[in-house]
C-alpha cells in the first residue's frame, strides 16, 4: 500500500521543516515591510518610511529615537518638518492622490500596543485623529477617492517558532469612513499575517498579501472576500511573499523576494523590472503615477530608479 500525506515520519519531517522555513522567511518580511522602530542619530538626511507621488515625498525621519514627519514637493529640495512628537514616532504610510493629505500612524509610546491613525492636512497644516487608542495597527491606506482609510490590526504579538522574531498575528482589515470616522470590520480572517495594502484605481478591491492564503490577492471592499491572484512568474515563483506596490486598470507592480515585477491582469504574466540595488530586500517601494521612476528604500539607503534608462540614482532626502 502507498503511504499518503503525513502518514510516514519522512513526510511529517518534510512538512515540519517547510513550515519552519516559511515562518522564518515571513518573519523577515514582516520586519521589513511593516513599520519598525529605529534608533537614529540626528542627521541632515532623511531616513525611514516614505510615500512618493508626482515627485512629492512625505517621509519619517528619526532623531534621538523619535520619528517625525517631513514633506517636500521636490525630491531634491530640503523637506519641511510637519509633526513634532515629544516621544514615540509618526510613521508615514500614504500621500493622498491629490497631494493634499498625509496618512500616518502615531505610536506615542514607540510600540504597537498603543497607536493612533492620523490624517495631516497640508493646507490647514494640522492633523486630524481618525482613530485614537488603537492597538497593534500595522499599516494604513487611503482610498483612491480619498473617502476611506483601510487599516490592518492584529490580535497579538508573538513568535510561532524559536527562530522567528515576534510579530503581529491574528490580523484583519478594517475600514474608516473619513467623514464620520465610523469603523467597519472588512474581513474575518484572523490571519497569520496581512501585508502590503494597495487599492485598485476604482477602490473596488484592496491588493494584499495574506500568508494563510499563500500569497497575493484582492479583497473586495464591499464583501471582504479574498480572491488569490495566480501569477505566472517563472523567474521568482515564491508567491507566498509577493506584495503589491501599485495598481493600474490592467497591470500591477509587485515586490517579490529581492526583486520587483510588473504583472498583467489579462495574461497573468510577469515582467522582471529590477533586483533590489543593495542585494537585500527592498523595505519601501513607491513608483510615480506614470511608472517612470520608482523610489526605493533599502536599509538606510534610498534610490530612484528610472525605468526607461534602467538606472539607479542614490537619493538623500534632505532635512533642515
Amino acid at each position: 500500500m502507498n503511504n499518503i500525506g503525513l502518514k510516514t515520519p519522512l513526510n511529517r519531517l518534510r512538512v515540519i521543516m517547510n513550515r519552519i522555513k516559511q515562518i522564518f522567511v515571513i518573519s523577515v518580511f514582516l520586519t521589513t515591510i511593516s513599520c519598525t522602530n529605529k534608533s537614529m542619530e540626528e542627521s541632515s538626511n532623511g531616513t525611514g518610511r516614505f510615500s512618493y507621488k508626482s515627485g512629492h515625498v512625505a517621509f519619517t525621519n528619526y532623531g534621538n529615537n523619535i520619528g517625525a514627519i517631513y514633506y517636500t514637493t521636490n525630491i531634491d529640495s530640503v523637506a519641511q518638518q510637519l509633526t513634532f512628537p515629544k516621544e514615540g514616532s509618526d510613521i508615514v504610510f500614504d500621500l493622498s492622490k491629490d497631494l493634499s493629505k498625509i496618512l500616518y500612524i502615531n505610536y506615542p509610546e514607540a510600540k504597537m500596543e498603543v497607536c493612533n491613525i492620523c490624517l495631516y492636512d497640508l493646507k490647514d497644516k494640522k492633523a486630524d485623529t481618525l482613530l485614537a487608542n488603537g492597538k497593534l495597527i500595522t499599516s494604513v491606506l487611503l482610498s483612491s477617492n480619498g473617502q476611506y482609510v483601510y487599516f490592518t490590526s492584529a490580535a497579538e504579538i508573538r513568535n510561532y517558532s524559536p527562530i522567528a522574531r515576534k510579530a503581529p498575528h491574528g490580523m484583519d482589515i478594517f475600514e474608516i469612513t473619513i467623514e464620520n470616522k465610523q469603523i467597519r470590520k472588512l474581513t474575518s480572517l484572523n490571519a497569520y499575517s496581512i501585508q502590503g495594502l494597495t487599492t485598485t484605481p476604482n477602490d473596488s478591491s484592496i491588493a494584499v498579501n495574506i500568508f494563510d492564503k499563500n500569497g497575493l490577492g484582492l479583497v473586495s471592499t464591499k464583501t471582504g472576500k479574498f480572491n488569490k491572484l495566480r501569477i505566472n512568474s517563472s523567474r521568482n515563483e515564491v508567491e507566498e511573499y509577493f506584495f503589491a506596490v501599485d495598481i493600474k486598470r490592467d497591470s500591477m507592480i509587485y515586490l517579490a523576494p529581492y526583486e520587483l515585477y510588473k504583472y498583467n491582469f489579462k495574461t497573468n504574466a510577469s515582467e522582471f523590472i529590477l533586483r533590489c540595488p543593495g542585494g537585500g530586500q527592498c523595505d519601501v517601494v513607491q513608483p510615480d503615477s506614470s511608472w517612470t521612476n520608482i523610489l526605493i528604500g533599502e536599509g538606510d539607503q534610498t534610490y530612484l530608479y528610472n525605468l526607461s534608462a534602467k538606472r539607479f540614482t542614490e537619493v538623500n532626502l534632505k532635512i533642515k
Side-chain angles (χ1 to χ4, degrees), residues 33-311:
I33 299 298
S34 61
C35 60
T36 53
N37 298 317
K38 295 185 179 182
S39 296
M40 304 294 297
E41 298 298 327
E42 291 289 358
S43 171
S44 60
N45 294 323
T47 183
R49 207 182 195 288
F50 55 78
S51 183
Y52 174 63
K53 284 185 173 69
S54 301
H56 296 219
V57 188
F59 60 93
T60 297
N61 184 71
Y62 298 86
N64 294 332
N65 299 326
I66 296 174
I69 292 177
Y70 289 74
Y71 173 73
T72 177
T73 59
N74 187 322
I75 198 169
D76 295 319
S77 300
V78 177
Q80 176 186 3
Q81 185 173 351
L82 301 182
T83 66
F84 299 83
K86 294 180 180 179
E87 56 184 341
S89 291
D90 295 334
I91 312 294
V92 167
F93 272 87
D94 207 1
L95 262 168
S96 62
K97 189 175 181 180
D98 64 1
L99 305 173
S100 67
K101 295 178 175 64
I102 299 170
L103 182 66
Y104 66 96
I105 302 179
N106 164 249
Y107 296 95
E109 299 178 9
K111 57 183 182 179
M112 288 186 179
E113 284 78 358
V114 182
C115 41
N116 308 304
I117 297 177
C118 304
L119 192 61
Y120 187 94
D121 191 301
L122 287 164
K123 181 179 179 180
D124 296 338
K125 296 186 178 179
K126 62 180 182 181
D128 182 22
T129 301
L130 302 179
L131 174 63
N133 300 316
K135 294 182 179 179
L136 304 183
I137 296 173
T138 59
S139 60
V140 286
L141 168 73
L142 270 168
S143 63
S144 296
N145 62 17
Q147 297 178 8
Y148 301 97
V149 164
Y150 298 99
F151 69 93
T152 52
S153 182
E156 60 181 351
I157 294 181
R158 62 170 293 181
N159 55 339
Y160 282 86
S161 165
I163 65 172
R165 299 179 184 182
K166 286 187 176 182
H169 298 297
M171 300 181 72
D172 272 295
I173 302 173
F174 297 78
E175 175 192 86
I176 302 175
T177 302
I178 294 176
E179 185 178 6
N180 56 22
K181 301 181 182 178
Q182 287 189 348
I183 298 175
R184 175 173 71 106
K185 187 178 182 182
L186 184 59
T187 63
S188 296
L189 297 166
N190 194 33
Y192 179 84
S193 79
I194 300 176
Q195 302 294 323
L197 302 186
T198 306
T199 187
T200 55
N202 61 1
D203 294 317
S204 63
S205 301
I206 303 168
V208 292
N209 176 293
I210 301 180
F211 185 68
D212 313 55
K213 304 290 186 179
N214 295 320
L216 179 59
L218 299 175
V219 169
S220 167
T221 54
K222 289 185 177 181
T223 67
K225 182 180 179 181
F226 176 83
N227 289 308
K228 188 180 183 304
L229 293 172
R230 301 294 177 181
I231 298 177
N232 180 15
S233 178
S234 58
R235 178 186 170 106
N236 201 322
E237 299 177 336
V238 284
E239 292 186 44
E240 296 93 335
Y241 315 118
F242 290 172
F243 299 86
V245 171
D246 197 21
I247 301 177
K248 291 185 178 181
R249 186 177 59 85
D250 58 354
S251 55
M252 168 180 67
I253 291 178
Y254 71 91
L255 178 65
Y258 316 114
E259 296 178 337
L260 201 65
Y261 291 83
K262 181 180 177 182
Y263 169 75
N264 187 300
F265 285 108
K266 293 182 179 179
T267 64
N268 292 332
S270 291
E271 175 188 346
F272 173 76
I273 296 177
L274 60 86
R275 185 166 179 85
C276 296
Q281 180 61 30
C282 299
D283 299 334
V284 189
V285 180
Q286 297 268 298
D288 59 19
S289 58
S290 63
W291 291 1
T292 301
N293 294 292
I294 304 175
L295 195 61
I296 298 170
E298 186 178 349
D300 293 332
Q301 302 297 318
T302 306
Y303 304 88
L304 191 66
Y305 181 80
N306 183 276
L307 273 77
S308 59
K310 297 183 179 181
R311 182 178 64 246

Side-chain angles (χ1 to χ4, degrees), residues 8-52:
T8 67
L10 180 58
N11 278 338
R12 285 198 297 269
L13 179 61
R14 285 172 177 168
V15 170
I16 291 169
M17 293 303 295
N18 185 55
R19 183 61 175 170
I20 289 174
K21 180 182 178 182
Q22 288 179 328
I23 290 173
F24 175 75
V25 175
I26 196 65
S27 70
V28 173
F29 267 68
L30 288 171
T31 303
T32 57
I33 299 298
S34 61
C35 60
T36 53
N37 298 317
K38 295 185 179 182
S39 296
M40 304 294 297
E41 298 298 327
E42 291 289 358
S43 171
S44 60
N45 294 323
T47 183
R49 207 182 195 288
F50 55 78
S51 183
Y52 174 63

